[in-house]
Amino acid sequence: MESSELLGPAQYIMSAVNNTKLNSAVFLLTGFPGEEDVHIWISIPFCLMYVISIVGNSVILFIIKTDPSLHEPMYIFLSMLAITDLALSISTMPTTLGIFLFNSREISLDACFAQLFFIHLLECIESSVLLLMAFDRFIAIRNPLRYASILTLPRIGKMGLVCVLRGVAVILPLPFLLQRFQYCRSNVLSHCYCINQDVMKMACSDIRVNSIYGLSVALLTVGLDSLLIFLSYVMILKTVLSITTQVECLRALNTCVSHLCAVLLFYMPMIGLSMVHRFGEGSSHLLQILLGYVYLLIPPLMNPIVYSVKSKHLRERIIRVFIK
């Protein structure tokens, strides 16, 4: 007679629960389901994107640091954005390339919680930096004569510190709220990295507290920042339209193009993915996966390209460095 037949009902149930907990001690990340045979080829564009993101943002940081003429508020905010994008790329790179290069799908709960903390923290900081950059453009266009006296280096440093502290304060509870749960459902995640709204669906407990807190954090950080950015541009547009000459009007608007591109690249995929996770129960799984890659890979990839192309001053310094 097998040992399982000797167990009473209570012991059998406890054994099953223990086995379930053991099986859910890791999560399984997802690349492109059904395309495992070509993952090695899919890894090539992903490697290129990570290389371009890391090199591009590093070059911008190097240029701004070494060129005293770029130690202006606009470029200091740009360096904050580059640091955040660089950290965001590094936080997702190990798991993403691990799947495509080595088919390494397993991630422990602690590693998953740590990764989602850094991903959401960096998102929150990037949203704050984009708001500061909108404020920078507003001051530069609305009150150019007092621009340098309002945005001093110590004041910019304090603003950056507030962005980081706000992010830590609102994101730090997330992994602790997730640690309370037992994960006894399917342990296959929707993406090649861990995010809060994906992980909490794996819990076999009531997740209403996590869901409400996550939605509140999103509204009070990304939602509030995007609203304030929108209001900043309403004020900018009102100021620009009051300028008498068309040439000056277009020149003022042209200084905002790079920032507007960065805002759209950051907020549009984030809002789309959040809506799909929270309300798109019947949505295509492939759509979730593609939005997930766009959401975290495209902003760090495109921001240095957009700013290098649109900023003549920065572009000239980069060309001069490479020509040397």
Side-chain angles (χ1 to χ4, degrees):
M1 185 178 292
E2 294 184 6
S3 58
S4 60
E5 295 178 19
L6 298 174
L7 292 173
Q11 290 87 346
Y12 188 82
I13 291 169
M14 287 303 297
S15 175
V17 170
N18 289 336
N19 286 338
T20 304
K21 290 179 184 177
L22 180 63
N23 291 336
S24 298
V26 295
F27 288 125
L28 295 179
L29 301 168
T30 300
F32 283 99
E35 305 295 335
E36 287 78 11
D37 293 343
V38 292
H39 268 182
I40 191 68
W41 297 107
I42 295 174
S43 70
I44 295 172
F46 278 89
C47 288
L48 285 173
M49 283 192 285
Y50 276 116
V51 168
I52 294 169
S53 298
I54 291 169
V55 171
N57 286 295
S58 299
V59 166
I60 283 180
L61 286 171
F62 174 77
I63 297 294
I64 293 173
K65 184 178 184 300
T66 55
D67 192 335
S69 67
L70 296 177
H71 293 176
E72 299 174 1
M74 184 179 77
Y75 294 107
I76 293 170
F77 288 128
L78 177 56
S79 67
M80 291 181 184
L81 185 67
I83 290 169
T84 309
D85 282 338
L86 195 58
L88 198 55
S89 294
I90 292 169
S91 68
T92 60
M93 184 170 62
T95 51
T96 304
L97 296 185
I99 288 174
F100 292 124
L101 291 174
F102 309 110
N103 197 31
S104 175
R105 296 182 60 197
E106 291 189 356
I107 183 170
S108 69
L109 266 64
D110 289 339
C112 186
F113 296 153
Q115 186 183 46
L116 74 83
F117 167 74
F118 284 110
I119 287 174
H120 290 299
L121 172 63
L122 292 165
E123 283 173 353
C124 184
I125 293 172
E126 181 149 349
S127 179
S128 302
V129 171
L130 289 172
L131 174 59
L132 294 183
M133 295 173 87
F135 178 67
D136 167 77
R137 291 298 83 211
F138 170 69
I139 297 297
I141 292 171
R142 186 71 180 264
N143 204 344
L145 296 178
R146 296 189 59 208
Y147 177 65
S149 62
I150 293 173
L151 293 174
T152 60
L153 288 178
R155 191 168 288 165
I156 291 171
K158 289 174 185 176
M159 292 163 79
L161 182 61
V162 168
C163 291
V164 174
L165 292 177
R166 182 186 79 153
V168 172
V170 298
I171 301 300
L172 190 59
L174 288 180
F176 293 104
L177 286 171
L178 290 169
Q179 278 182 334
R180 301 177 303 132
F181 296 138
Q182 296 297 334
Y183 294 92
C184 55
R185 295 179 183 172
S186 169
N187 61 341
V188 180
L189 300 176
S190 304
H191 306 290
C192 58
Y193 49 80
C194 297
I195 53 175
N196 178 60
Q197 54 265 43
D198 199 16
V199 172
M200 69 180 179
K201 290 180 183 177
M202 303 295 109
C204 51
S205 311
D206 185 359
I207 61 169
R208 276 180 296 182
V209 172
N210 289 57
S211 187
I212 292 168
Y213 183 76
L215 186 59
S216 302
V217 167
L219 291 174
L220 291 172
T221 55
V222 175
L224 181 61
D225 292 346
S226 57
L227 176 63
L228 292 174
I229 289 170
F230 174 75
L231 292 176
S232 297
Y233 272 99
V234 169
M235 298 299 291
I236 287 170
L237 194 59
K238 185 179 176 182
T239 304
V240 166
L241 291 176
S242 67
I243 298 173
T244 52
T245 64
Q246 188 178 2
V247 174
E248 290 295 323
C249 179
L250 291 174
R251 186 180 298 171
L253 285 175
N254 192 50
T255 63
C256 301
V257 172
S258 302
H259 179 253
L260 276 172
C261 290
V263 167
L264 292 174
L265 285 168
F266 179 74
Y267 285 109
M268 295 304 288
M270 175 186 284
I271 292 169
L273 185 64
S274 182
M275 295 292 286
V276 166
H277 269 293
R278 292 185 184 279
F279 309 111
E281 292 295 331
S283 63
S284 164
H285 189 52
L286 181 61
L287 175 65
Q288 286 189 25
I289 292 169
L290 291 174
L291 272 175
Y293 289 126
V294 171
Y295 157 69
L296 285 184
L297 293 179
I298 297 303
L301 172 72
M302 293 303 299
N303 284 339
I305 296 172
V306 168
Y307 274 94
S308 300
V309 169
K310 288 301 297 177
S311 173
K312 183 181 177 183
H313 202 176
L314 184 63
R315 185 173 66 248
E316 287 174 351
R317 295 298 186 275
I318 292 172
I319 292 170
R320 189 182 302 172
V321 166
F322 280 102
I323 288 174
K324 283 183 179 179

Short mmCIF file of all heavy atoms in Angstrom, two decimals, residues 3 6 11 43 78 119 173 177 239 263 278 313:
data_model
loop_
_atom_site.label_atom_id
_atom_site.label_comp_id
_atom_site.label_asym_id
_atom_site.label_seq_id
_atom_site.Cartn_x
_atom_site.Cartn_y
_atom_site.Cartn_z
N SER A 3 2.18 5.17 0.58
CA SER A 3 2.15 5.99 1.79
C SER A 3 0.98 6.96 1.78
O SER A 3 0.42 7.28 2.82
CB SER A 3 3.47 6.76 1.94
OG SER A 3 3.67 7.57 0.81
N LEU A 6 -2.11 5.77 3.41
CA LEU A 6 -2.10 5.65 4.87
C LEU A 6 -2.44 6.96 5.56
O LEU A 6 -2.66 7.00 6.76
CB LEU A 6 -0.72 5.16 5.34
CG LEU A 6 -0.29 3.78 4.83
CD1 LEU A 6 1.15 3.51 5.24
CD2 LEU A 6 -1.21 2.69 5.38
N GLN A 11 -4.32 14.99 7.18
CA GLN A 11 -2.91 14.93 6.80
C GLN A 11 -2.75 15.07 5.29
O GLN A 11 -1.80 15.68 4.79
CB GLN A 11 -2.26 13.62 7.28
CG GLN A 11 -2.08 13.53 8.79
CD GLN A 11 -3.32 12.98 9.48
OE1 GLN A 11 -4.38 12.91 8.87
NE2 GLN A 11 -3.17 12.61 10.74
N SER A 43 16.35 37.34 -29.23
CA SER A 43 17.26 38.01 -28.28
C SER A 43 18.11 39.07 -28.97
O SER A 43 18.57 40.02 -28.31
CB SER A 43 18.16 36.98 -27.61
OG SER A 43 19.10 36.45 -28.53
N LEU A 78 17.55 66.72 -17.68
CA LEU A 78 17.77 65.66 -18.67
C LEU A 78 18.69 64.58 -18.11
O LEU A 78 18.47 63.39 -18.36
CB LEU A 78 18.35 66.26 -19.95
CG LEU A 78 18.69 65.27 -21.08
CD1 LEU A 78 17.48 64.44 -21.47
CD2 LEU A 78 19.26 66.01 -22.28
N ILE A 119 11.34 48.51 -10.30
CA ILE A 119 10.66 48.94 -11.53
C ILE A 119 9.63 50.02 -11.22
O ILE A 119 9.60 51.08 -11.86
CB ILE A 119 9.99 47.73 -12.23
CG1 ILE A 119 11.06 46.84 -12.88
CG2 ILE A 119 8.98 48.20 -13.28
CD1 ILE A 119 10.51 45.56 -13.48
N PRO A 173 5.70 50.01 0.42
CA PRO A 173 4.72 49.04 0.95
C PRO A 173 4.35 47.91 -0.02
O PRO A 173 3.89 46.85 0.44
CB PRO A 173 3.49 49.92 1.24
CG PRO A 173 4.03 51.29 1.41
CD PRO A 173 5.17 51.39 0.46
N LEU A 177 3.17 44.16 1.14
CA LEU A 177 1.78 43.73 0.97
C LEU A 177 1.70 42.41 0.21
O LEU A 177 0.85 41.56 0.52
CB LEU A 177 0.99 44.82 0.22
CG LEU A 177 0.64 46.09 1.00
CD1 LEU A 177 0.07 47.14 0.07
CD2 LEU A 177 -0.34 45.79 2.13
N THR A 239 0.74 81.29 -22.95
CA THR A 239 1.83 82.28 -23.01
C THR A 239 2.36 82.43 -24.43
O THR A 239 2.59 83.55 -24.90
CB THR A 239 2.98 81.85 -22.07
OG1 THR A 239 2.48 81.67 -20.75
CG2 THR A 239 4.09 82.88 -22.06
N VAL A 263 7.17 62.53 -22.80
CA VAL A 263 5.93 62.34 -22.03
C VAL A 263 5.04 61.30 -22.70
O VAL A 263 4.53 60.38 -22.03
CB VAL A 263 5.18 63.69 -21.90
CG1 VAL A 263 3.76 63.48 -21.39
CG2 VAL A 263 5.92 64.62 -20.95
N ARG A 278 -6.02 45.67 -15.53
CA ARG A 278 -7.10 45.86 -14.56
C ARG A 278 -8.49 45.59 -15.14
O ARG A 278 -9.37 45.11 -14.44
CB ARG A 278 -7.05 47.29 -13.99
CG ARG A 278 -5.83 47.53 -13.12
CD ARG A 278 -5.84 48.89 -12.46
NE ARG A 278 -4.61 49.10 -11.71
CZ ARG A 278 -4.39 48.64 -10.49
NH1 ARG A 278 -5.32 47.95 -9.88
NH2 ARG A 278 -3.25 48.86 -9.87
N HIS A 313 22.45 72.04 -29.28
CA HIS A 313 23.59 72.22 -28.39
C HIS A 313 24.16 70.86 -27.97
O HIS A 313 25.37 70.62 -28.03
CB HIS A 313 23.14 73.02 -27.17
CG HIS A 313 24.26 73.70 -26.45
ND1 HIS A 313 24.07 74.53 -25.37
CD2 HIS A 313 25.60 73.67 -26.64
CE1 HIS A 313 25.23 74.98 -24.95
NE2 HIS A 313 26.17 74.47 -25.69
#
